[in-house]
Amino acid sequence: MAACAADELPAAPTATLPRVEIPASRAASAAIDPPGWASPATAARATTVLDPAESPTADRLADLLRGAPGLQPVVSDGGLSTQFNLRGFIVTRLQYDGLPEVTRLFTRDPSTLAAVRVQGGPSGVDSGLGSPGGSVTLAAPTPGPLARRTVSLQGGSSAWRRGVLDLNQPLTESWRARLIVAAQDGRSDPGRQVLARDNLLASLAWHDPDADGLGMLRVDSEVQHNHQPYLFGTVMSQTGAVRYGQLYASPDQRSDRRTTRQALHWQVDRWLGRDGQDSTSHDSTSQDSMWQAGLRLDLGRARVLRDETLIGAWAQRSDGLLDGYYTRLHDDHLQRAGRLEGRLTRTGDAWQLDSRIGTETAHRLTRFSGVQNIGGYQIDPQQPDFSQVDPARLTLGPRLKRQDDHERSRWLRQSVGWSNAVMLQAGLREVRHDSRAGIGLATTSRGRDTVQEWAVATQPQPGWLWSASRSQGLELNAGLTRSGDFLPPQRSLQHELALALHPGAIDPMRPGTPWLRLALFRIDLSGLPRPDPADRTAFIADGARRVDGFEAVTDWQGGAWQGGAWQLQGQLGLLRARTLTPVSPTQRDWPGNTSRRSAALRLQGDLGRLQAEPATPLQAWVQGVARSSAYVDAANTVRLPGSVITDAGLSGRVERWRWSLAIRNLFDLDHVAHAASVDEVYQGTPRQLRLVLASPW
């Protein structure tokens, strides 16, 4: 609700420690959290905030995060889900406006994003169950105080077309509304599969003009209709070569996924006064200490209905042919979540306090039914032909699944700073979890666990920030031990040291101002399950692995060049993985699809003006993302080659129209985006051309 509320709250004193964040646009930085509710963890943990407005040609979340430090998009569920490899671990759970993102076969449309925050390392205190690699937090666009209407049109190669309509309208002094409609269509390359998706987000916000009133309330409703079929990908031949240019999926697959989501957000803040001053005064012009209390409530519900037929390839045979796969299925996924958080803060020159307490609950229920056939037909990998697949001649077996997950947690987080120079943090969360699966919904996991987080940050001189943190995380295991007990969860532990030349004291908008962040980290993951050698129906949770890493990120605003300015952004990531206790005899050090080295570099600048004022400068940009080779399998026997993908673009404005022209994969390099196995390889994007026209009206 940042955009909804930023203009109503008085400004708080600014004597607070800077944050270890990559600088984003002011709009994105303000939108990622409600005013005054930014997570204290970002003050001592390596964090990146991205602005979707800087990537106008993006059509999915993965496009926005390609150059984020330590992060690599993962193709999952045939391109129907959103996952990431962050610091060597897979991130499957995302947060959207304080609540869990839709977790079942859902693609977040960029038009419904105001900002994205990526934080490395486990964040169990902030989010409960999650990945050891880190967390991805999304913020929704909210109704603003000014009337604004914009339309955006896209076109490009592979029959690509997309349109976005964004209507923002204040209704009264207290009521505001916003409607965002996005529709797109195109064809995959290769395969010519349909890429149609429609999305609608409606938001209604109310704020009490009385500073001592009921605060702010926002209600969201979202609908998505996705027709993209399951993209089976290609395979690696028996010689280890990727079969580029192939997509082993029938063009006759039926795909119909409908997602609905509703959410309610309420926030109220109270100025409690200054030390020695009563709470009736709201004056915030001096730098004396100020006390503030707040309460925030988030409630959400989402449902995904899926009616789909999958026709493609399953696995390679010894004779070189591919076994076929056919399934017809129906999904019904329901999730609910609620979150309540209280906050007490003190800002001032002498010392600062941020104290929070909260509780949340989440429930997910997935019901899955269908029929399937594996190996009922064969495919020639050289000339795939699915026209002869006749479901009436296939022997179909049932495919059923039910999964029911409950999570309940409560947490406490404390942050104290002194004289704008030193800050200490501590956090504690208790998580209770209960998971059931199968037709009879038998319990597969149950327990109560706690996680902690500690951090210290210091600013020895203006512009320099040192921080050290220790954070924990949890992921669930399913199964029983030989004695019949539930397996304990996987536990992750990160130690991180970070140094930042931070724009809290040096203006990042001033020409010639650099921004630099360096981070060293170690992540240990324990409790990985493996079969019990004494009882193959039971499990032992004693597997362990470790990842050590280094990240360097820079952002440099350059001076005038041909009447404009330039900006250089870069990042470098280095990883070293070790298996401490293997869960199988063949497991080696490196997990699949994890590159030892990654780097990104982006240069953008003004090239001049198309016409006299008031036209804006013509801007150009070029970006390269490089990744070293990675293994496909846990045994580290099959290696994927590395890649360097280069994108470039131009943008400018002519009268009311803002235009952007972008070329993805400029040199049309064959590369692999992700490989789940040698039989499930997803090719990276070939060369694409995108043109965007946007205008207010």
Side-chain angles (χ1 to χ4, degrees):
M1 292 188 294
C4 174
D7 55 318
E8 283 116 25
L9 292 178
T14 58
T16 57
L17 202 68
R19 299 179 178 273
V20 192
E21 287 183 350
I22 294 177
S25 69
R26 290 183 173 88
S29 299
I32 195 66
D33 289 298
W37 288 81
S39 170
T42 62
R45 298 266 301 279
T47 305
T48 304
V49 178
L50 302 173
D51 185 355
E54 296 179 355
S55 302
T57 62
D59 59 86
R60 56 189 302 140
L61 180 59
D63 296 334
L64 301 175
L65 301 183
R66 289 180 56 223
L71 183 143
Q72 179 177 355
V74 171
V75 182
S76 58
D77 294 320
L80 304 180
S81 296
T82 301
Q83 297 182 10
F84 300 96
N85 186 320
L86 183 55
R87 291 189 172 182
F89 298 89
I90 301 300
V91 177
T92 60
R93 300 186 180 204
L94 284 63
Q95 295 285 319
Y96 186 72
D97 261 14
L99 296 170
E101 173 66 297
V102 181
T103 58
R104 181 69 175 170
L105 301 174
F106 178 73
T107 301
R108 171 60 57 188
D109 194 276
S111 67
T112 63
L113 293 172
V116 181
R117 180 171 61 210
V118 179
Q119 186 174 69
S123 53
V125 172
D126 282 338
S127 57
L129 302 177
S131 169
S135 60
V136 178
T137 303
L138 314 174
T142 58
L146 302 177
R148 187 182 68 253
R149 296 175 293 276
T150 60
V151 60
S152 172
L153 302 174
Q154 286 190 30
S157 55
S158 300
W160 177 255
R161 52 194 183 275
R162 173 178 166 88
V164 178
L165 180 64
D166 187 346
L167 306 176
N168 184 89
Q169 183 64 48
L171 305 177
T172 66
E173 180 184 1
S174 300
W175 289 92
R176 304 166 183 174
R178 188 166 184 176
L179 177 68
I180 302 174
V181 181
Q184 68 182 50
D185 197 3
R187 296 296 179 266
S188 67
D189 184 8
R192 304 292 296 174
Q193 300 280 331
V194 174
L195 301 179
R197 185 179 74 227
D198 304 315
N199 205 98
L200 182 148
L201 173 63
S203 181
L204 182 64
W206 172 85
H207 74 278
D208 194 331
D210 184 356
D212 295 321
L214 298 178
M216 293 159 285
L217 179 71
R218 191 181 91 236
V219 178
D220 293 342
S221 181
E222 184 175 9
V223 178
Q224 183 180 104
H225 194 185
N226 196 338
H227 297 282
Q228 176 183 320
Y230 191 100
L231 304 179
F232 281 82
T234 185
V235 300
M236 298 183 71
S237 69
Q238 294 173 326
T239 63
V242 177
R243 295 187 183 274
Y244 289 108
Q246 296 285 2
L247 184 67
Y248 297 113
S250 169
D252 298 323
Q253 297 183 96
R254 168 182 168 80
S255 182
D256 187 3
R257 288 178 304 281
R258 299 174 185 267
T259 302
T260 57
R261 184 187 65 86
Q262 300 83 36
L264 181 146
H265 306 277
W266 174 64
Q267 172 191 341
V268 60
D269 294 279
R270 288 285 188 276
W271 299 114
L272 303 181
R274 308 180 187 277
D275 292 341
Q277 184 182 51
D278 63 57
S279 61
T280 59
S281 174
H282 297 150
D283 174 46
S284 58
T285 57
S286 73
Q287 294 296 310
D288 297 333
S289 61
M290 177 185 292
W291 290 86
Q292 185 182 17
L295 190 64
R296 176 182 175 184
L297 174 67
D298 301 288
L299 299 173
R301 177 187 184 276
R303 188 178 188 184
V304 181
L305 297 175
R306 179 189 186 197
D307 183 2
E308 194 159 12
T309 300
L310 279 61
I311 308 173
W314 178 259
Q316 296 183 83
R317 296 154 44 109
S318 59
D319 59 6
L321 296 178
L322 306 178
D323 274 332
Y325 178 75
Y326 175 89
T327 186
R328 187 172 65 249
L329 51 88
H330 300 274
D331 258 24
D332 188 352
H333 171 82
L334 179 66
Q335 65 180 61
R336 300 184 181 92
R339 184 174 185 270
L340 179 64
E341 179 179 358
R343 174 178 65 99
L344 177 66
T345 61
R346 180 191 188 274
T347 54
D349 291 328
W351 61 281
Q352 306 87 40
L353 171 71
D354 189 316
S355 183
R356 307 191 186 198
I357 187 171
T359 181
E360 65 183 75
T361 180
H363 173 223
R364 293 178 298 275
L365 175 62
T366 301
R367 291 165 290 190
F368 180 106
S369 63
V371 293
Q372 71 176 5
N373 175 279
I374 299 176
Y377 59 93
Q378 282 72 49
I379 304 166
D380 182 351
Q382 301 287 350
Q383 297 178 328
D385 182 9
F386 294 92
S387 62
Q388 303 303 315
V389 177
D390 184 1
R393 296 184 178 181
L394 298 176
T395 301
L396 302 177
R399 187 180 179 191
L400 304 171
K401 177 183 177 180
R402 295 189 71 187
Q403 181 79 30
D404 193 4
D405 300 315
H406 291 263
E407 299 168 23
R408 298 167 298 280
S409 60
R410 50 187 178 178
W411 78 90
L412 177 67
R413 179 181 278 281
Q414 191 84 9
S415 177
V416 182
W418 289 273
S419 301
N420 195 29
V422 179
M423 182 196 66
L424 297 177
Q425 283 185 14
L428 176 68
R429 178 184 285 249
E430 179 191 67
V431 182
R432 299 188 181 192
H433 50 87
D434 184 348
S435 295
R436 297 180 294 166
I439 302 303
L441 289 180
T443 301
T444 58
S445 175
R446 178 182 295 161
R448 181 175 65 180
D449 301 275
T450 59
V451 290
Q452 303 174 0
E453 184 173 319
W454 306 86
V456 59
T458 179
Q459 188 173 229
Q461 60 185 22
W464 290 91
L465 179 67
W466 295 84
S467 66
S469 63
R470 180 184 187 274
S471 56
Q472 295 179 329
L474 293 171
E475 281 195 295
L476 294 185
N477 280 325
L480 301 173
T481 66
R482 194 190 322 163
S483 60
D485 298 324
F486 294 113
L487 286 178
Q490 301 172 29
R491 303 191 70 94
S492 54
L493 172 64
Q494 174 181 270
H495 294 88
E496 180 184 89
L497 295 174
L499 166 66
L501 174 61
H502 200 277
I506 300 178
D507 185 4
M509 306 306 293
R510 191 179 68 215
T513 298
W515 192 100
L516 177 68
R517 187 190 74 204
L518 305 175
L520 284 170
F521 59 88
R522 166 171 287 179
I523 303 176
D524 287 301
L525 176 62
S526 61
L528 294 167
R530 64 180 176 92
D532 189 332
D535 182 356
R536 305 301 290 183
T537 65
F539 295 89
I540 301 174
D542 63 353
R545 52 180 293 235
R546 170 178 292 172
V547 172
D548 295 305
F550 168 77
E551 290 176 359
V553 185
T554 185
D555 188 305
W556 195 291
Q557 301 279 346
W561 179 54
Q562 292 188 4
W566 58 268
Q567 181 181 20
L568 178 67
Q569 298 171 308
Q571 64 97 353
L572 172 68
L574 305 175
L575 294 179
R576 185 184 67 175
R578 292 178 55 196
T579 295
L580 304 179
T581 304
V583 296
S584 72
T586 61
Q587 183 181 1
R588 296 296 181 262
D589 286 335
W590 284 92
N593 296 277
T594 300
S595 298
R596 289 175 170 84
R597 298 174 297 277
S598 63
L601 189 66
R602 180 185 176 96
L603 176 64
Q604 62 185 37
D606 299 339
L607 300 182
R609 302 178 184 275
L610 293 180
Q611 62 184 52
E613 298 288 355
T616 57
L618 178 67
Q619 295 180 324
W621 61 269
V622 60
Q623 173 179 284
V625 178
R627 304 193 185 281
S628 65
S629 62
Y631 290 107
V632 176
D633 57 336
N636 294 174
T637 59
V638 181
R639 186 189 289 268
L640 292 172
S643 63
V644 180
I645 307 303
T646 304
D647 304 336
L650 290 170
S651 63
R653 183 188 298 273
V654 178
E655 296 181 349
R656 297 177 56 187
W657 288 93
R658 177 77 180 180
W659 61 270
S660 299
L661 177 66
I663 302 177
R664 301 182 180 180
N665 194 359
L666 186 64
F667 302 111
D668 199 19
L669 178 71
D670 284 336
H671 65 287
V672 173
H674 180 76
S677 69
V678 296
D679 300 321
E680 190 178 358
V681 180
Y682 297 99
Q683 301 165 75
T685 303
R687 181 186 296 134
Q688 290 183 345
L689 180 68
R690 296 281 174 88
L691 174 64
V692 181
L693 298 175
S695 173
W697 59 281

